[in-house]
Amino acid sequence: MEHLERSGYVRSDPVRHAMGSVRRELFVPTSVQRAAYADHPLEIGHHQTISAPHMVAIMVEAMRCSEGQRVLEVGGGLGYHAAVIAHVVGPTGHVFTVERIEALARRARDNLEAAGLSDRVTVVVGDGSCGWPEHAPYDRISVACAAPRLSETMVDNLSEDGMLLIPVGSPYMQELTRVTRKGNRTTVERLGGCIFVPLVGKCGQ
Ligand code: SAH
């Protein structure tokens, strides 16, 4: 945590508080427990990884979330990132996280329950590559896997002044991309290079 602040990844009080409140060891497999707080990605099985803490901090800061917001996460994994977002949006907000691998989604639910967050985060199983219209609109959408391009239907899931954060590029190298919607207009910003596992599915790789 100190390292995340010193390096400038954690810059705001809500994110500092959220990252400090979520016990990462509850969200990583027992096989990598000892590395739970190391600042690098960890294997979670099924050829997937949980992002390094600094990447979660960068993304949650870049999303500029506030209390009471409804957030969609695509790529729920074991639920760690969703838990951090849930702390930022607080008890009046809600996080919906979509995970395509059922076994991971089940474990994410258990982890979120153990962290006391099951009423603030809903884990759904399915393909979220084009968004998840069922609970739209969302104030924020955070994608934790790499998309080949921006999906228009995903952008349509945003509220009128919503924001989408998504790694866009090839399976090996992407650019973290922020899309800000103001009514019918959207602004696209590139925030820097990153590497995520591929977003697979209808609008995926
Ligand atoms: N945010 C997670 C880590 C995500 S790893 C955590 O904190 O633990 C990326 C995840 O995206 C993987 O679990 C992968 O199965 C999932 N994924 C890939 N394509 C997807 C899709 N189309 N819909 C939903 N999940 C997807």
Side-chain angles (χ1 to χ4, degrees):
M1 186 62 196
E2 239 174 67
H3 145 75
L4 296 179
E5 285 189 57
R6 230 180 316 114
S7 313
Y9 297 122
V10 168
R11 284 179 276 120
S12 68
D13 285 339
V15 177
R16 182 174 305 117
H17 184 255
M19 298 275 310
S21 304
V22 179
R23 290 166 56 206
R24 192 165 153 97
E25 80 263 21
L26 293 179
F27 292 90
V28 304
T30 39
S31 54
V32 291
Q33 274 297 323
R34 283 171 51 204
Y37 290 92
D39 193 15
H40 53 72
L42 296 170
E43 301 282 332
I44 57 175
H46 305 268
H47 308 292
Q48 306 301 328
T49 54
I50 166 172
S51 300
H54 77 267
M55 186 45 76
V56 175
I58 288 172
M59 290 185 72
V60 181
E61 288 283 11
M63 275 214 305
R64 298 184 187 143
C65 277
S66 48
E67 259 183 62
Q69 287 185 325
R70 286 160 63 82
V71 180
L72 171 69
E73 182 192 33
V74 177
L78 292 183
Y80 173 73
H81 197 151
V84 175
I85 298 171
H87 273 278
V88 180
V89 299
T92 55
H94 199 84
V95 181
F96 299 90
T97 186
V98 190
E99 172 52 55
R100 60 179 278 274
I101 300 174
E102 191 170 356
L104 293 179
R106 245 186 279 124
R107 283 160 64 197
R109 279 193 204 108
D110 291 346
N111 297 344
L112 289 158
E113 171 104 50
L117 291 169
S118 48
D119 54 340
R120 296 201 214 169
V121 184
T122 305
V123 182
V124 289
V125 180
D127 175 9
S129 64
C130 312
W132 197 260
E134 193 180 336
H135 304 288
Y138 309 98
D139 301 301
R140 298 289 183 266
I141 301 177
S142 177
V143 183
C145 30
R149 65 193 74 81
L150 285 173
S151 147
E152 235 170 79
T153 52
M154 191 185 281
V155 174
D156 285 345
N157 280 186
L158 285 173
S159 64
E160 294 273 296
D161 52 1
M163 194 184 270
L164 157 69
L165 202 61
I166 182 167
V168 179
S170 75
Y172 308 103
M173 182 69 208
Q174 308 100 37
E175 192 121 39
L176 189 59
T177 305
R178 181 167 59 196
V179 181
T180 309
R181 181 170 173 189
K182 288 265 179 282
N184 290 331
R185 293 186 49 198
T186 51
T187 319
V188 178
E189 298 162 272
R190 312 253 177 245
L191 306 181
C194 55
I195 301 177
F196 281 79
V197 296
L199 173 76
V200 294
K202 191 170 170 229
C203 303
Q205 305 277 0

